[in-house]
Each structure stands twice: as C-alpha cells, then as structure tokens.
C-alpha cells in the first residue's frame, strides 16, 4: 500500500447481512476428483458417495453471485453434465470471495473452473487450459451504478468520492471501470477512494445505502439484483458502461483425462441446441458456450498490460 495515496480505502468487508449472503465456500455432491479431498471452510453439503466409484470433477465458478444464488443458477448445468459426461461425478463449488477462489485454483483444487478473463490468464500458469467461452463477449463489460438522486452528470463528478467494487481482481467490475474512468480524465488512484466489499451484491447495496457514490459491477449481477431487490434497485440506475472485452472462460486442469475433457467441451458447445438447453442458458444469463482456447485470451493480456501501465498492478492492493 505504500506505493498508493493514503486516500485509497481498502475495505475487505464481506457481503452485507441484509443480502443474506453465505459467508463461506459451499459444495454440492461428492468431494474429491482423485484420492484426496479439498478442505472447505464453513458449511459443506454433499450427496452420498457414488456407488460406482466414479472419479469426481469439481466445477468452480468465480464469485459473480453469492454462493446461494450461484448454486441456484449453476446446479441444473451440473446435473446436465452428470447425464452427458457420466464417466465422472460432477460437483459444483462456490467460493465466498475472489481471494479465496484464486487461492483455491492456484492450489489446483478444482478440475474445471469458470474464471473471469484475468483469472484465465492467471490460471494458465497453474496448469489450466481453456476449452470454451461462457457467453457472448459483448456481454462482458463493466458498468457503474449510482443512486438516482445523485445528480451526477459526468464521470468527473466522482472526483473525491468513494467507489465500491467486489475485488481488485474483478476484471469487468473493477479493472474495466477504473481504466474507463481514467480514459474520461479521472485519476481513480488519486482522485477517488476504492472500497472493496467482497461481492457484486454488496457493491450495489453500498451504493444504495450511500456508503459509496458509485459501484462497479457487470450486467448479470445487476440484472439479478434488480429481480431480487426491486425496492433497492429502483433507487439506483446505470450511469456509465465500458466497452466489451471477452467473456469468462471454461478451463480444465491439465491432469484431467482427454476423454473427459473432450466430452465436456462437446457437451457445453451443444447445450444451446439441446431441448432443455435454452432454459438453462437463460438461468445462466448467457446465449451459449462458444469455442475458445488459451490463445483466444491473448487480447486480455494486452488489456491487462495497459491497465497496469495506466492504473496499478492488478494484485498490488
């Protein structure tokens, strides 16, 4: 922190109690895709052990929702994968915040992960490889939410104000808004205070409660917030949005069998064409899974390099 101005506020508060967020990682199904089992903090929910002795593959999604909501949205996909790729037993796992999620995949705790594009580049260093992109790239953009009564007319009106974000490594919800604000003439590291609150919902609630003048998030969590908290959302509005980049990836750990890897890729890419696929994709806020590989995300590497030149090192906070 010594390299940053004193007015940069680094709050690590978790989800607000009023949102009912679960404060710990959760898992559904049987643990362990191999001989050992990952240790979890907080409540853990599991099915009975699989009678066939099938190896288990953990599917871990970055914290774009609180764990409860993430399970509601992704468990149908996990059940579908259990039907389409029966060689393994699929398990869904959520992490309570970005640092925990990043710590886990760096320890190679998951067989399959769905990270944001910056985490995708990071995960490659730990032996994960891209097999698909989750959703239309045009949907992956940062948005800045303010109160309707704020009367902000320009991004420059945020000078001297506090902006809440889920985490420093949240690409769409933090890095992209910060770089966009810089392009509009606002030096976010010197002229605003950054407050990191652990989740997208907490980001939005901090704006609603007046703890921050604006909040960085991206379209799917904003849509969920509007549906689940209409009273609070009615007092907020989308003020600005960034250009799009690339969407989240689906990655597989390098020791997963090629047969399971390839069957999973085929299943995901065909989901939009399955009779039951449309409803699942609506629940996931995406159009379909798209073909992608590691090299697809090289454009993100260039974007992050620009961000680090103009704003800050990604993980310095």
């Amino acid at each position: 922190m010594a390299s940053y101005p004193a007015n940069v506020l680094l709050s690590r508060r978790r989800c607000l109690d009023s949102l009912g967020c679960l404060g710990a990682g959760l898992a559904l199904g049987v643990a362990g895709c191999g001989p050992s089992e990952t240790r979890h903090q907080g409540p853990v929910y599991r099915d009975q052990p699989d009678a066939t002795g099938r190896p288990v593959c953990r599917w871990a999604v970055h914290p774009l929702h609180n764990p409860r909501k993430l399970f509601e949205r992704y468990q149908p996909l996990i059940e579908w994968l259990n039907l389409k790729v029966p060689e393994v037993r699929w398990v869904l796992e959520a992490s309570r915040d970005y640092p925990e999620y990043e710590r886990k995949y760096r320890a190679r705790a998951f067989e399959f992960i769905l990270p944001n594009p910056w985490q995708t580049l990071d995960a490659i260093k730990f032996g994960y490889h891209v097999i698909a992109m989750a959703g239309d790239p045009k949907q992956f953009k940062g948005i800045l939410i303010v109160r309707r009564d704020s009367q902000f007319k320009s991004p420059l009106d945020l000078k001297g104000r506090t902006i809440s974000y889920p985490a420093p490594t949240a690409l769409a919800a933090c890095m992209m808004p910060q770089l966009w604000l810089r392009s509009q003439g606002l030096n976010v590291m010197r002229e605003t205070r950054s407050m990191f609150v652990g989740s997208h919902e907490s980001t939005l609630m901090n704006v609603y409660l007046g703890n921050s003048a604006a909040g960085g998030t991206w379209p799917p969590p904003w849509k969920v917030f509007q549906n689940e908290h209409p009273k609070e959302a009615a007092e907020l509005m989308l003020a600005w949005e960034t250009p799009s980049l690339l969407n989240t990836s689906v990655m597989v750990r390098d020791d997963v069998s090629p047969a399971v890897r390839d069957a999973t890729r085929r299943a995901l890419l065909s989901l939009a064409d399955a009779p039951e696929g449309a409803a699942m994709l609506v629940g996931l806020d995406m159009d379909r899974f798209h073909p992608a590989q590691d090299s697809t995300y090289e454009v993100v590497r260039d974007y992050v390099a620009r961000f680090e030149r103009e704003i800050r090192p990604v993980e310095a906070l």
Side-chain angles (χ1 to χ4, degrees), residues 137-213:
K138 295 178 182 178
Q139 188 184 34
F140 195 88
K141 56 188 173 184
I143 57 177
L144 285 159
I145 305 298
V146 301
R147 288 190 57 88
R148 287 190 179 276
D149 58 9
S150 64
Q151 298 183 343
F152 294 135
K153 303 299 183 184
S154 162
L156 296 178
D157 293 335
L158 294 175
K159 185 174 182 178
R161 306 279 189 153
T162 296
I163 304 175
S164 55
Y165 309 100
T169 56
L171 179 57
C174 178
M175 296 163 61
M176 293 172 71
Q178 287 187 331
L179 187 57
W180 182 82
L181 288 170
R182 186 70 183 89
S183 74
Q184 303 302 301
L186 186 67
N187 188 326
V188 291
M189 299 308 296
R190 295 185 179 277
E191 297 177 332
T192 69
R193 293 180 294 274
S194 298
M195 182 168 67
F196 301 110
V197 295
S199 75
H200 295 270
E201 289 161 297
S202 190
T203 296
L204 294 166
M205 279 300 291
N206 271 283
V207 179
Y208 168 73
L209 294 171
N211 297 328
S212 57

Side-chain angles (χ1 to χ4, degrees), residues 1 21 35 47 69 106 129 141 143 145 220 223 263 281:
M1 291 200 36
C21 295
D47 296 332
K69 177 53 62 178
R106 288 168 179 171
H129 297 288
K141 56 188 173 184
I143 57 177
I145 305 298
K223 179 180 177 182
L281 289 166

Side-chain angles (χ1 to χ4, degrees), residues 39-62:
R39 296 183 63 187
H40 303 274
Q41 298 177 349
V44 178
Y45 303 95
R46 304 193 189 284
D47 296 332
Q48 294 299 315
D50 186 75
T52 66
R54 292 178 297 172
V56 174
C57 280
R58 300 176 185 87
W59 172 286
V61 182
H62 75 285

Side-chain angles (χ1 to χ4, degrees), residues 6-74:
N7 68 341
V8 178
L9 176 61
L10 302 180
S11 169
R12 296 291 182 180
R13 287 182 294 171
R14 303 305 184 218
C15 298
L16 299 177
D17 291 341
S18 60
L19 290 168
C21 295
L22 302 179
L26 304 177
L28 277 177
V30 184
C33 176
S36 62
E37 182 176 303
T38 302
R39 296 183 63 187
H40 303 274
Q41 298 177 349
V44 178
Y45 303 95
R46 304 193 189 284
D47 296 332
Q48 294 299 315
D50 186 75
T52 66
R54 292 178 297 172
V56 174
C57 280
R58 300 176 185 87
W59 172 286
V61 182
H62 75 285
L64 74 164
H65 302 299
N66 71 62
R68 174 186 58 81
K69 177 53 62 178
L70 188 141
F71 274 95
E72 291 176 2
R73 299 208 160 220
Y74 277 86

Side-chain angles (χ1 to χ4, degrees), residues 293-304:
Q293 55 192 348
D294 289 358
S295 60
T296 305
Y297 286 81
E298 284 301 310
V299 63
V300 180
R301 194 178 305 279
D302 295 337
Y303 185 93
V304 171

